Amino acid sequence: MAEFMTVFLPTVTQPSRACPSPKWRRRLLPGSPGSLVGFQARRCPELGVSADRGEDGGGRPLLEHRGVLRGRGRLPLRLLQERDWQPLPRSGKYVYKPIMNQTCCPQYTIRCQPLHFQPSKSHKKVLKKMLKFLAKGDSSKVAGDEEPMDSHREDAVACSFVLKNESDISQSELKPLSVEETERVETEDNNEEEEMKKEVTVKKVESEPPQTCVDKDSAGSSERSNSAKLVHTTPKPGKGADLSKPPCRKAKDIRKERKLHKLLQNQTHSLEGTPSQVEPQVLLSQNSKSKANQPKSIEDFIFVSLPDDATHQLEVRLVPVSFEDPQFNSSFSQSATLFAKYQMAIHKDTPSECGEYEFTRFLCDSPLEAENPPSGPDCGYGSFHQQYWLDGKIIAVGVIDILPYCVSSVYLYYDPDYTFLSLGVYSALREIAFTRRLHEKASELCYYYMGFYIHSCPKMRYKGQYRPSDLLCPETYVWVPIEQCLPTLEHSKYCRFNQDLKAVDEGCIKELGRVRVLHKRIVMPYSMYKKRRKGPSDEASVQQYASLVGQTCSERMLLFRS
Protein backbone atom coordinates (compact mmCIF):
# COMPACT_ATOMS: atom_id res chain seq x y z
CA MET A 1 0.00 0.00 0.00
CA ALA A 2 1.31 3.41 -0.93
CA GLU A 3 2.29 5.83 1.81
CA PHE A 4 0.25 8.94 2.38
CA MET A 5 0.82 12.23 4.13
CA THR A 6 -1.65 13.50 6.72
CA VAL A 7 -2.35 17.22 6.48
CA PHE A 8 -4.05 19.16 9.29
CA LEU A 9 -5.72 22.48 8.53
CA PRO A 10 -7.56 24.68 11.04
CA THR A 11 -10.45 26.13 9.07
CA VAL A 12 -11.13 28.94 11.52
CA THR A 13 -8.86 31.92 11.91
CA GLN A 14 -7.89 31.28 15.51
CA PRO A 15 -4.48 30.02 16.65
CA SER A 16 -4.65 26.42 17.73
CA ARG A 17 -2.32 23.56 18.48
CA ALA A 18 -1.23 23.81 14.86
CA CYS A 19 0.59 27.04 15.68
CA PRO A 20 4.09 27.18 17.16
CA SER A 21 4.77 27.47 20.86
CA PRO A 22 2.83 30.34 22.52
CA LYS A 23 6.05 32.23 23.29
CA TRP A 24 7.16 32.18 19.65
CA ARG A 25 3.67 33.18 18.56
CA ARG A 26 3.75 36.17 20.90
CA ARG A 27 7.11 37.24 19.51
CA LEU A 28 5.98 37.05 15.90
CA LEU A 29 2.38 38.15 16.24
CA PRO A 30 2.06 40.17 19.44
CA GLY A 31 -1.52 40.72 20.51
CA SER A 32 -3.07 39.51 17.27
CA PRO A 33 -5.05 36.29 17.73
CA GLY A 34 -6.65 34.89 14.65
CA SER A 35 -3.87 35.69 12.21
CA LEU A 36 -2.20 32.34 11.52
CA VAL A 37 -3.34 28.99 10.17
CA GLY A 38 -1.21 25.91 9.66
CA PHE A 39 -0.81 22.55 7.99
CA GLN A 40 0.73 19.52 9.58
CA ALA A 41 2.11 16.81 7.34
CA ARG A 42 3.01 13.38 8.65
CA ARG A 43 3.28 9.84 7.36
CA CYS A 44 0.08 7.86 7.75
CA PRO A 45 0.09 4.46 5.97
CA GLU A 46 -3.21 3.28 7.42
CA LEU A 47 -5.30 6.44 6.81
CA GLY A 48 -7.23 5.56 9.98
CA VAL A 49 -7.57 9.11 11.35
CA SER A 50 -10.43 11.00 12.93
CA ALA A 51 -11.33 14.64 13.49
CA ASP A 52 -9.38 16.38 16.21
CA ARG A 53 -10.69 19.07 18.54
CA GLY A 54 -8.70 21.59 20.50
CA GLU A 55 -9.28 24.91 22.19
CA ASP A 56 -7.94 28.38 21.53
CA GLY A 57 -7.01 30.94 24.17
CA GLY A 58 -10.67 31.86 24.67
CA GLY A 59 -11.79 28.29 25.35
CA ARG A 60 -13.68 27.93 22.05
CA PRO A 61 -13.53 24.56 20.28
CA LEU A 62 -11.54 24.34 17.07
CA LEU A 63 -12.25 21.71 14.47
CA GLU A 64 -9.17 20.74 12.47
CA HIS A 65 -9.91 19.17 9.12
CA ARG A 66 -7.38 16.53 8.22
CA GLY A 67 -6.45 15.65 4.70
CA VAL A 68 -3.82 13.42 3.15
CA LEU A 69 -1.39 14.03 0.35
CA ARG A 70 -1.34 11.32 -2.27
CA GLY A 71 1.57 9.64 -3.97
CA ARG A 72 5.02 9.38 -2.40
CA GLY A 73 4.22 11.62 0.52
CA ARG A 74 5.67 14.81 -0.96
CA LEU A 75 4.15 18.07 0.19
CA PRO A 76 3.71 20.44 -2.83
CA LEU A 77 5.76 23.05 -1.02
CA ARG A 78 6.52 25.21 -4.02
CA LEU A 79 2.83 25.68 -4.77
CA LEU A 80 2.17 26.41 -1.11
CA GLN A 81 5.08 28.85 -0.80
CA GLU A 82 3.78 30.75 -3.80
CA ARG A 83 0.56 31.23 -1.84
CA ASP A 84 2.33 32.57 1.29
CA TRP A 85 2.71 29.23 3.11
CA GLN A 86 6.08 28.83 4.78
CA PRO A 87 7.73 26.01 6.79
CA LEU A 88 9.45 28.47 9.13
CA PRO A 89 9.84 28.56 11.96
CA ARG A 90 8.10 25.25 12.15
CA SER A 91 6.82 23.32 15.09
CA GLY A 92 6.75 19.63 14.33
CA LYS A 93 5.76 19.31 10.70
CA TYR A 94 3.57 22.35 10.32
CA VAL A 95 3.76 24.99 7.64
CA TYR A 96 2.06 28.34 8.17
CA LYS A 97 0.16 31.00 6.31
CA PRO A 98 -0.54 34.42 7.87
CA ILE A 99 -3.97 35.96 7.41
CA MET A 100 -2.51 39.13 5.98
CA ASN A 101 -5.46 41.50 6.27
CA GLN A 102 -6.08 40.55 9.93
CA THR A 103 -2.67 40.38 11.57
CA CYS A 104 -1.15 43.47 13.16
CA CYS A 105 2.22 42.68 11.55
CA PRO A 106 1.72 41.55 7.93
CA GLN A 107 4.41 39.08 6.84
CA TYR A 108 5.28 38.98 3.16
CA THR A 109 7.09 36.05 1.60
CA ILE A 110 10.49 37.25 0.38
CA ARG A 111 12.93 35.63 -1.99
CA CYS A 112 16.38 36.73 -3.14
CA GLN A 113 17.88 36.22 -6.59
CA PRO A 114 21.36 34.85 -5.82
CA LEU A 115 22.49 34.72 -9.45
CA HIS A 116 22.35 38.53 -9.62
CA PHE A 117 23.29 39.26 -6.02
CA GLN A 118 26.06 41.75 -5.27
CA PRO A 119 27.22 42.21 -1.66
CA SER A 120 26.91 45.68 -0.16
CA LYS A 121 29.66 47.46 1.78
CA SER A 122 28.21 46.24 5.07
CA HIS A 123 28.15 42.66 3.76
CA LYS A 124 31.80 42.90 2.69
CA LYS A 125 32.66 44.32 6.09
CA VAL A 126 31.20 41.22 7.77
CA LEU A 127 33.08 38.88 5.42
CA LYS A 128 36.37 40.72 5.97
CA LYS A 129 35.82 40.66 9.70
CA MET A 130 35.45 36.88 9.60
CA LEU A 131 38.60 36.49 7.50
CA LYS A 132 40.54 38.71 9.89
CA PHE A 133 39.32 36.69 12.85
CA LEU A 134 40.26 33.37 11.23
CA ALA A 135 43.67 34.58 10.08
CA LYS A 136 44.80 36.67 13.04
CA GLY A 137 42.32 35.90 15.80
CA ASP A 138 41.15 39.52 15.94
CA SER A 139 37.92 39.60 17.92
CA SER A 140 37.58 43.34 18.44
CA LYS A 141 33.97 44.35 18.78
CA VAL A 142 32.64 47.24 16.75
CA ALA A 143 29.57 49.29 17.57
CA GLY A 144 26.54 48.01 15.68
CA ASP A 145 27.82 44.45 15.34
CA GLU A 146 24.79 42.96 17.07
CA GLU A 147 22.54 40.69 15.07
CA PRO A 148 19.36 42.22 13.56
CA MET A 149 17.14 39.65 15.27
CA ASP A 150 18.61 40.10 18.76
CA SER A 151 15.71 42.21 19.96
CA HIS A 152 16.26 41.52 23.65
CA ARG A 153 19.32 43.70 23.98
CA GLU A 154 19.10 46.66 26.35
CA ASP A 155 18.74 50.03 24.68
CA ALA A 156 21.71 52.32 25.20
CA VAL A 157 21.15 55.33 27.40
CA ALA A 158 21.23 58.35 25.14
CA CYS A 159 22.15 60.89 27.77
CA SER A 160 23.97 60.64 31.11
CA PHE A 161 22.50 63.79 32.59
CA VAL A 162 18.99 64.90 33.45
CA LEU A 163 17.55 68.29 32.63
CA LYS A 164 15.82 69.96 35.57
CA ASN A 165 12.80 72.20 35.45
CA GLU A 166 12.80 75.46 37.37
CA SER A 167 10.36 73.99 39.86
CA ASP A 168 12.77 71.11 40.57
CA ILE A 169 15.68 73.38 41.55
CA SER A 170 16.06 73.97 45.28
CA GLN A 171 16.64 77.38 46.83
CA SER A 172 20.11 76.36 48.04
CA GLU A 173 21.16 75.92 44.42
CA LEU A 174 19.97 79.45 43.62
CA LYS A 175 22.03 81.11 46.44
CA PRO A 176 24.19 83.98 45.03
CA LEU A 177 27.96 83.60 45.00
CA SER A 178 30.12 85.39 47.54
CA VAL A 179 32.71 88.00 46.53
CA GLU A 180 35.62 85.57 46.92
CA GLU A 181 33.88 82.90 44.84
CA THR A 182 33.08 85.47 42.16
CA GLU A 183 36.73 86.57 41.93
CA ARG A 184 37.88 82.93 41.75
CA VAL A 185 35.49 82.18 38.88
CA GLU A 186 36.59 85.32 37.01
CA THR A 187 40.30 84.45 37.35
CA GLU A 188 39.65 80.91 36.09
CA ASP A 189 37.78 82.29 33.08
CA ASN A 190 40.60 84.75 32.33
CA ASN A 191 43.22 82.00 32.52
CA GLU A 192 41.23 79.81 30.10
CA GLU A 193 40.88 82.73 27.67
CA GLU A 194 44.65 83.41 27.75
CA GLU A 195 45.43 79.74 27.10
CA MET A 196 43.00 79.69 24.17
CA LYS A 197 44.67 82.81 22.67
CA LYS A 198 48.12 81.22 22.99
CA GLU A 199 46.96 78.04 21.20
CA VAL A 200 45.40 80.07 18.38
CA THR A 201 48.63 82.13 18.00
CA VAL A 202 50.76 78.99 17.76
CA LYS A 203 48.45 77.48 15.11
CA LYS A 204 48.59 80.70 13.05
CA VAL A 205 52.41 80.76 13.14
CA GLU A 206 52.61 77.13 11.98
CA SER A 207 50.16 77.73 9.17
CA GLU A 208 52.05 80.81 7.81
CA PRO A 209 54.60 80.03 5.03
CA PRO A 210 58.29 80.90 5.71
CA GLN A 211 59.39 84.31 4.33
CA THR A 212 62.92 85.26 3.11
CA CYS A 213 64.30 88.58 4.39
CA VAL A 214 67.22 90.65 2.93
CA ASP A 215 67.98 92.65 6.06
CA LYS A 216 70.07 90.53 8.42
CA ASP A 217 69.04 92.49 11.48
CA SER A 218 65.38 92.21 10.64
CA ALA A 219 65.94 88.56 9.83
CA GLY A 220 67.61 87.96 13.17
CA SER A 221 64.89 89.78 15.05
CA SER A 222 62.21 87.93 13.16
CA GLU A 223 63.92 84.61 13.89
CA ARG A 224 64.08 85.44 17.57
CA SER A 225 60.43 86.47 17.62
CA ASN A 226 59.38 83.43 15.64
CA SER A 227 61.37 81.11 17.88
CA ALA A 228 59.72 82.69 20.87
CA LYS A 229 56.34 82.16 19.32
CA LEU A 230 57.04 78.59 18.28
CA VAL A 231 58.03 77.47 21.75
CA HIS A 232 55.02 75.71 23.21
CA THR A 233 54.31 73.30 25.96
CA THR A 234 52.35 70.07 25.73
CA PRO A 235 48.67 70.98 26.01
CA LYS A 236 46.79 69.88 29.06
CA PRO A 237 44.61 66.78 28.70
CA GLY A 238 41.28 67.62 27.13
CA LYS A 239 42.36 71.08 25.92
CA GLY A 240 43.14 71.32 22.23
CA ALA A 241 44.84 68.95 19.83
CA ASP A 242 48.26 67.41 20.40
CA LEU A 243 50.50 69.61 18.25
CA SER A 244 53.35 67.08 18.36
CA LYS A 245 51.31 64.74 16.10
CA PRO A 246 50.27 65.31 12.47
CA PRO A 247 46.68 66.40 11.94
CA CYS A 248 44.13 63.64 11.28
CA ARG A 249 42.90 63.09 7.75
CA LYS A 250 39.64 61.62 6.60
CA ALA A 251 39.78 58.19 4.98
CA LYS A 252 37.68 59.54 2.12
CA ASP A 253 40.33 62.17 1.29
CA ILE A 254 43.09 59.55 1.42
CA ARG A 255 41.18 57.32 -1.03
CA LYS A 256 40.64 60.23 -3.39
CA GLU A 257 44.34 61.06 -3.30
CA ARG A 258 45.32 57.46 -4.08
CA LYS A 259 42.84 57.28 -6.95
CA LEU A 260 44.15 60.53 -8.41
CA HIS A 261 47.71 59.23 -8.09
CA LYS A 262 46.80 56.07 -10.03
CA LEU A 263 45.09 58.07 -12.76
CA LEU A 264 48.19 60.25 -13.17
CA GLN A 265 50.38 57.15 -13.42
CA ASN A 266 48.13 55.63 -16.09
CA GLN A 267 48.20 58.85 -18.11
CA THR A 268 52.00 58.92 -17.89
CA HIS A 269 52.25 55.37 -19.22
CA SER A 270 49.85 56.11 -22.08
CA LEU A 271 51.89 59.16 -23.14
CA GLU A 272 55.20 57.28 -23.12
CA GLY A 273 54.22 54.87 -25.86
CA THR A 274 51.40 53.49 -27.98
CA PRO A 275 49.83 50.06 -27.25
CA SER A 276 51.82 48.55 -30.14
CA GLN A 277 55.07 49.57 -28.49
CA VAL A 278 54.13 48.26 -25.05
CA GLU A 279 55.46 44.84 -24.15
CA PRO A 280 53.00 41.93 -23.65
CA GLN A 281 53.94 41.65 -19.97
CA VAL A 282 52.86 45.26 -19.41
CA LEU A 283 49.54 44.60 -21.16
CA LEU A 284 49.06 41.51 -19.03
CA SER A 285 49.66 43.48 -15.86
CA GLN A 286 47.20 46.15 -17.02
CA ASN A 287 44.56 43.50 -17.72
CA SER A 288 45.07 42.01 -14.28
CA LYS A 289 44.70 45.48 -12.77
CA SER A 290 41.42 46.00 -14.64
CA LYS A 291 40.13 42.66 -13.32
CA ALA A 292 41.19 43.59 -9.84
CA ASN A 293 39.17 46.81 -10.10
CA GLN A 294 35.99 44.81 -10.71
CA PRO A 295 33.68 44.41 -7.68
CA LYS A 296 34.43 41.30 -5.68
CA SER A 297 31.80 38.61 -5.31
CA ILE A 298 30.98 36.85 -2.05
CA GLU A 299 32.90 33.81 -3.29
CA ASP A 300 36.07 35.91 -3.40
CA PHE A 301 35.72 36.46 0.34
CA ILE A 302 34.29 33.11 1.44
CA PHE A 303 36.45 30.66 -0.47
CA VAL A 304 39.76 32.50 -0.14
CA SER A 305 42.61 30.36 1.14
CA LEU A 306 43.84 31.19 4.63
CA PRO A 307 47.56 31.41 5.52
CA ASP A 308 49.27 28.31 6.90
CA ASP A 309 49.65 29.93 10.31
CA ALA A 310 45.99 30.95 10.60
CA THR A 311 44.79 31.27 14.17
CA HIS A 312 41.41 29.56 13.62
CA GLN A 313 39.93 27.04 11.22
CA LEU A 314 36.30 27.24 10.09
CA GLU A 315 34.53 24.26 8.50
CA VAL A 316 30.95 24.28 7.20
CA ARG A 317 29.25 20.86 7.13
CA LEU A 318 25.96 20.10 5.44
CA VAL A 319 24.19 17.41 7.50
CA PRO A 320 20.83 15.89 6.49
CA VAL A 321 18.18 16.05 9.20
CA SER A 322 17.78 12.34 9.81
CA PHE A 323 18.43 10.23 12.88
CA GLU A 324 19.64 7.55 10.50
CA ASP A 325 22.52 9.77 9.41
CA PRO A 326 25.71 9.14 11.47
CA GLN A 327 26.89 12.77 11.26
CA PHE A 328 23.55 14.06 12.47
CA ASN A 329 23.47 11.59 15.35
CA SER A 330 27.02 12.28 16.48
CA SER A 331 26.49 16.06 16.57
CA PHE A 332 22.91 16.04 17.87
CA SER A 333 23.77 16.55 21.54
CA GLN A 334 26.18 19.42 20.87
CA SER A 335 23.74 21.04 18.45
CA ALA A 336 20.84 20.79 20.92
CA THR A 337 22.99 22.29 23.70
CA LEU A 338 23.90 25.22 21.45
CA PHE A 339 20.21 25.72 20.59
CA ALA A 340 19.30 25.91 24.28
CA LYS A 341 22.13 28.38 24.96
CA TYR A 342 20.99 30.59 22.10
CA GLN A 343 17.31 30.52 23.04
CA MET A 344 17.98 31.35 26.69
CA ALA A 345 20.46 34.15 25.93
CA ILE A 346 18.78 35.80 22.95
CA HIS A 347 15.08 34.99 23.33
CA LYS A 348 15.03 34.61 27.13
CA ASP A 349 13.51 31.13 27.05
CA THR A 350 13.51 28.99 30.17
CA PRO A 351 15.41 25.66 30.15
CA SER A 352 12.14 23.74 29.97
CA GLU A 353 11.21 25.57 26.76
CA CYS A 354 14.35 24.64 24.82
CA GLY A 355 15.20 21.06 25.79
CA GLU A 356 16.06 18.27 23.37
CA TYR A 357 12.39 17.40 22.84
CA GLU A 358 11.54 21.00 21.93
CA PHE A 359 14.62 21.20 19.73
CA THR A 360 13.64 18.03 17.87
CA ARG A 361 10.05 19.13 17.42
CA PHE A 362 11.03 22.66 16.42
CA LEU A 363 13.94 22.16 14.03
CA CYS A 364 14.41 18.43 13.34
CA ASP A 365 10.91 17.22 12.41
CA SER A 366 10.37 18.29 8.82
CA PRO A 367 7.42 18.11 6.40
CA LEU A 368 9.87 17.17 3.63
CA GLU A 369 11.11 13.76 2.60
CA ALA A 370 14.67 13.34 1.40
CA GLU A 371 15.19 12.64 -2.30
CA ASN A 372 18.31 12.24 -4.39
CA PRO A 373 17.38 12.29 -8.10
CA PRO A 374 20.12 11.95 -10.75
CA SER A 375 19.44 15.42 -12.14
CA GLY A 376 19.59 17.09 -8.72
CA PRO A 377 22.54 18.27 -6.64
CA ASP A 378 24.89 15.78 -5.00
CA CYS A 379 23.40 16.43 -1.55
CA GLY A 380 19.88 15.76 -2.80
CA TYR A 381 16.69 17.48 -1.68
CA GLY A 382 15.23 17.71 1.81
CA SER A 383 15.91 19.37 5.16
CA PHE A 384 19.48 20.00 6.31
CA HIS A 385 21.48 21.54 9.14
CA GLN A 386 24.39 23.64 7.91
CA GLN A 387 26.83 23.43 10.82
CA TYR A 388 29.62 25.95 11.34
CA TRP A 389 32.54 24.25 13.12
CA LEU A 390 35.21 26.54 14.57
CA ASP A 391 38.28 24.68 15.80
CA GLY A 392 36.28 21.49 16.32
CA LYS A 393 33.28 23.14 18.04
CA ILE A 394 29.87 24.07 16.63
CA ILE A 395 29.32 27.82 16.90
CA ALA A 396 26.28 28.17 14.61
CA VAL A 397 23.69 26.05 12.79
CA GLY A 398 21.63 27.21 9.85
CA VAL A 399 18.47 25.15 9.28
CA ILE A 400 17.67 25.09 5.56
CA ASP A 401 15.44 23.24 3.09
CA ILE A 402 16.88 22.37 -0.32
CA LEU A 403 14.14 22.15 -2.92
CA PRO A 404 14.26 21.68 -6.71
CA TYR A 405 13.79 25.42 -7.24
CA CYS A 406 15.30 27.12 -4.17
CA VAL A 407 17.16 27.02 -0.89
CA SER A 408 14.77 28.03 1.89
CA SER A 409 16.21 29.47 5.09
CA VAL A 410 14.25 28.17 8.08
CA TYR A 411 16.15 29.22 11.23
CA LEU A 412 19.57 30.11 12.60
CA TYR A 413 20.95 29.67 16.09
CA TYR A 414 24.49 30.46 17.18
CA ASP A 415 26.78 30.76 20.18
CA PRO A 416 26.13 34.19 21.80
CA ASP A 417 29.86 34.36 22.66
CA TYR A 418 30.54 34.94 18.95
CA THR A 419 28.02 37.72 18.38
CA PHE A 420 30.86 40.02 17.28
CA LEU A 421 31.22 37.96 14.08
CA SER A 422 27.68 38.89 12.91
CA LEU A 423 26.93 35.23 12.25
CA GLY A 424 23.38 35.99 11.11
CA VAL A 425 24.60 38.08 8.18
CA TYR A 426 27.56 35.79 7.52
CA SER A 427 25.40 32.65 7.36
CA ALA A 428 22.94 34.33 4.98
CA LEU A 429 25.80 35.24 2.64
CA ARG A 430 27.14 31.68 2.86
CA GLU A 431 23.69 30.32 1.98
CA ILE A 432 23.45 32.64 -1.02
CA ALA A 433 26.85 31.40 -2.23
CA PHE A 434 25.72 27.83 -1.54
CA THR A 435 22.61 28.39 -3.69
CA ARG A 436 24.84 29.52 -6.55
CA ARG A 437 26.89 26.36 -6.29
CA LEU A 438 23.78 24.18 -6.32
CA HIS A 439 22.56 26.04 -9.40
CA GLU A 440 25.61 24.81 -11.32
CA LYS A 441 24.32 21.25 -10.92
CA ALA A 442 20.54 21.90 -10.93
CA SER A 443 19.75 24.79 -13.27
CA GLU A 444 16.20 25.30 -11.94
CA LEU A 445 17.49 25.89 -8.41
CA CYS A 446 17.97 29.64 -8.60
CA TYR A 447 16.21 31.30 -5.65
CA TYR A 448 16.97 31.86 -1.98
CA TYR A 449 13.84 32.10 0.18
CA MET A 450 14.30 34.08 3.40
CA GLY A 451 10.90 33.40 4.96
CA PHE A 452 8.79 36.42 5.80
CA TYR A 453 9.60 40.10 5.45
CA ILE A 454 7.92 42.22 8.15
CA HIS A 455 8.27 45.88 7.28
CA SER A 456 6.40 47.04 10.38
CA CYS A 457 9.05 45.38 12.57
CA PRO A 458 12.40 47.26 12.35
CA LYS A 459 14.32 44.17 13.49
CA MET A 460 13.01 42.22 10.47
CA ARG A 461 13.79 44.78 7.77
CA TYR A 462 17.34 43.48 7.38
CA LYS A 463 16.04 40.86 4.93
CA GLY A 464 15.40 43.61 2.42
CA GLN A 465 19.13 44.41 2.28
CA TYR A 466 19.87 41.35 0.14
CA ARG A 467 19.19 42.65 -3.36
CA PRO A 468 17.73 41.93 -5.80
CA SER A 469 14.75 40.56 -3.87
CA ASP A 470 11.04 40.14 -4.53
CA LEU A 471 7.97 40.22 -2.30
CA LEU A 472 4.86 38.13 -2.94
CA CYS A 473 1.68 40.10 -3.53
CA PRO A 474 -0.86 38.88 -0.92
CA GLU A 475 -3.81 39.24 -3.30
CA THR A 476 -2.64 38.19 -6.76
CA TYR A 477 0.34 36.01 -5.64
CA VAL A 478 2.79 37.44 -8.16
CA TRP A 479 6.37 38.45 -7.35
CA VAL A 480 7.13 42.18 -7.26
CA PRO A 481 10.61 43.75 -6.84
CA ILE A 482 11.05 45.00 -3.30
CA GLU A 483 12.08 48.47 -4.53
CA GLN A 484 8.53 48.93 -5.85
CA CYS A 485 6.97 47.67 -2.61
CA LEU A 486 8.81 49.77 -0.04
CA PRO A 487 7.15 53.15 -0.83
CA THR A 488 3.67 51.69 -0.33
CA LEU A 489 4.72 49.86 2.85
CA GLU A 490 5.81 53.17 4.36
CA HIS A 491 2.19 54.35 4.24
CA SER A 492 0.35 51.13 5.05
CA LYS A 493 1.24 47.87 6.79
CA TYR A 494 -0.94 45.80 4.47
CA CYS A 495 -0.45 46.46 0.76
CA ARG A 496 -1.36 45.02 -2.58
CA PHE A 497 1.90 45.13 -4.52
CA ASN A 498 0.50 44.35 -7.95
CA GLN A 499 -0.21 47.75 -9.54
CA ASP A 500 -2.52 46.20 -12.15
CA LEU A 501 -5.93 46.74 -10.56
CA LYS A 502 -7.54 44.35 -13.01
CA ALA A 503 -5.21 41.48 -12.08
CA VAL A 504 -6.70 38.68 -9.99
CA ASP A 505 -5.43 35.53 -8.33
CA GLU A 506 -4.90 33.12 -11.23
CA GLY A 507 -4.66 30.17 -8.84
CA CYS A 508 -7.89 30.87 -6.95
CA ILE A 509 -10.49 28.16 -6.59
CA LYS A 510 -12.70 28.04 -9.66
CA GLU A 511 -14.42 24.67 -9.34
CA LEU A 512 -15.12 23.65 -5.77
CA GLY A 513 -16.46 20.32 -6.94
CA ARG A 514 -12.99 19.23 -8.08
CA VAL A 515 -11.46 19.46 -4.58
CA ARG A 516 -10.15 16.01 -3.66
CA VAL A 517 -11.72 14.45 -0.57
CA LEU A 518 -10.95 11.27 1.37
CA HIS A 519 -14.12 9.76 2.83
CA LYS A 520 -14.31 6.26 4.30
CA ARG A 521 -10.99 5.34 2.68
CA ILE A 522 -12.31 6.33 -0.75
CA VAL A 523 -10.86 9.20 -2.78
CA MET A 524 -13.52 11.23 -4.54
CA PRO A 525 -14.18 14.77 -5.77
CA TYR A 526 -16.08 17.05 -3.44
CA SER A 527 -19.06 17.11 -5.81
CA MET A 528 -19.57 13.36 -5.27
CA TYR A 529 -18.96 13.59 -1.52
CA LYS A 530 -21.50 16.43 -1.26
CA LYS A 531 -24.23 14.16 -2.65
CA ARG A 532 -23.40 11.35 -0.21
CA ARG A 533 -23.03 13.59 2.83
CA LYS A 534 -25.75 13.43 5.46
CA GLY A 535 -26.39 16.32 7.76
CA PRO A 536 -25.69 20.06 7.48
CA SER A 537 -23.64 21.35 4.59
CA ASP A 538 -19.89 21.92 5.10
CA GLU A 539 -19.43 23.86 1.88
CA ALA A 540 -18.30 27.01 3.70
CA SER A 541 -15.38 25.28 5.46
CA VAL A 542 -14.34 23.46 2.27
CA GLN A 543 -14.49 26.76 0.40
CA GLN A 544 -12.18 28.35 2.97
CA TYR A 545 -9.75 25.44 2.75
CA ALA A 546 -9.67 25.61 -1.05
CA SER A 547 -9.18 29.38 -1.08
CA LEU A 548 -6.19 29.06 1.24
CA VAL A 549 -4.37 26.38 -0.76
CA GLY A 550 -5.56 27.26 -4.27
CA GLN A 551 -7.05 25.18 -7.05
CA THR A 552 -3.92 23.21 -7.94
CA CYS A 553 -3.06 22.15 -4.40
CA SER A 554 -6.67 21.31 -3.59
CA GLU A 555 -6.57 18.76 -6.42
CA ARG A 556 -3.25 17.26 -5.28
CA MET A 557 -4.04 17.00 -1.55
CA LEU A 558 -6.86 15.02 -0.02
CA LEU A 559 -9.15 16.66 2.51
CA PHE A 560 -10.21 14.16 5.15
CA ARG A 561 -13.94 13.95 5.86
CA SER A 562 -15.29 11.73 8.59
Side-chain angles (χ1 to χ4, degrees), residues 396-430:
V397 177
V399 183
I400 61 174
D401 291 334
I402 300 178
L403 303 170
Y405 61 96
C406 76
V407 171
S408 179
S409 177
V410 178
Y411 201 69
L412 172 79
Y413 56 97
Y414 57 87
D415 191 336
D417 296 337
Y418 295 90
T419 304
F420 63 91
L421 290 175
S422 304
L423 292 171
V425 178
Y426 181 77
S427 64
L429 297 173
R430 292 281 312 214

Side-chain angles (χ1 to χ4, degrees), residues 178-431:
S178 62
V179 178
E180 295 179 356
E181 290 175 341
T182 305
E183 291 178 354
R184 180 174 55 82
V185 172
E186 288 178 354
T187 54
E188 288 179 357
D189 292 340
N190 293 333
N191 292 335
E192 288 182 0
E193 289 179 1
E194 290 178 2
E195 289 180 0
M196 291 282 289
K197 289 178 180 179
K198 288 180 181 179
E199 290 176 2
V200 172
T201 305
V202 171
K203 289 180 180 179
K204 285 182 177 180
V205 170
E206 288 187 347
S207 60
E208 289 177 358
Q211 296 180 356
T212 57
C213 299
V214 180
D215 189 359
K216 294 181 180 180
D217 296 335
S218 61
S221 61
S222 63
E223 286 176 3
R224 287 193 297 272
S225 61
N226 286 338
S227 61
K229 290 179 182 179
L230 288 173
V231 173
H232 62 273
T233 58
T234 305
K236 296 180 180 179
K239 294 184 178 181
D242 189 354
L243 301 177
S244 62
K245 295 181 180 180
C248 296
R249 299 180 61 193
K250 291 185 178 180
K252 186 177 180 181
D253 297 334
I254 297 174
R255 288 196 299 268
K256 284 183 178 179
E257 185 178 336
R258 288 177 181 172
K259 188 174 182 180
L260 181 62
H261 184 65
K262 286 183 179 180
L263 289 174
L264 292 174
Q265 283 184 343
N266 293 334
Q267 289 178 0
T268 305
H269 289 307
S270 61
L271 291 173
E272 286 178 355
T274 59
S276 59
Q277 297 172 346
V278 180
E279 296 181 359
Q281 293 180 354
V282 178
L283 289 174
L284 185 61
S285 64
Q286 289 180 356
N287 292 332
S288 62
K289 286 182 181 179
S290 62
K291 290 181 180 179
N293 291 332
Q294 293 179 357
K296 287 187 176 181
S297 64
I298 48 179
E299 288 83 1
D300 295 332
F301 294 98
I302 292 175
F303 302 114
V304 65
S305 58
L306 295 173
D308 297 334
D309 58 346
T311 307
H312 301 286
Q313 293 294 328
L314 179 67
E315 180 185 2
V316 181
R317 301 178 187 174
L318 186 69
V319 180
V321 181
S322 172
F323 286 98
E324 298 176 358
D325 184 81
Q327 275 192 317
F328 181 80
N329 272 329
S330 61
S331 61
F332 176 82
S333 178
Q334 187 179 168
S335 186
T337 303
L338 178 62
F339 169 77
K341 183 179 180 180
Y342 170 82
Q343 291 294 123
M344 288 188 289
I346 304 301
H347 297 301
K348 310 305 178 186
D349 285 357
T350 61
S352 60
E353 292 175 320
C354 50
E356 287 192 0
Y357 172 77
E358 288 74 19
F359 169 68
T360 303
R361 183 172 178 266
F362 188 51
L363 295 176
C364 298
D365 289 342
S366 170
L368 305 180
E369 285 192 355
E371 286 188 1
N372 201 345
S375 58
D378 296 334
C379 59
Y381 301 124
S383 297
F384 296 85
H385 282 188
Q386 204 164 34
Q387 301 173 344
Y388 294 79
W389 291 76
L390 181 68
D391 301 332
K393 182 182 73 171
I394 300 178
I395 63 167
V397 177
V399 183
I400 61 174
D401 291 334
I402 300 178
L403 303 170
Y405 61 96
C406 76
V407 171
S408 179
S409 177
V410 178
Y411 201 69
L412 172 79
Y413 56 97
Y414 57 87
D415 191 336
D417 296 337
Y418 295 90
T419 304
F420 63 91
L421 290 175
S422 304
L423 292 171
V425 178
Y426 181 77
S427 64
L429 297 173
R430 292 281 312 214
E431 289 169 4

Side-chain angles (χ1 to χ4, degrees), residues 8 47 94 107 148 209 230 233 273 345 350 379 423 445 448:
F8 301 76
L47 300 180
Y94 287 97
Q107 307 127 59
L230 288 173
T233 58
T350 61
C379 59
L423 292 171
L445 203 160
Y448 174 60

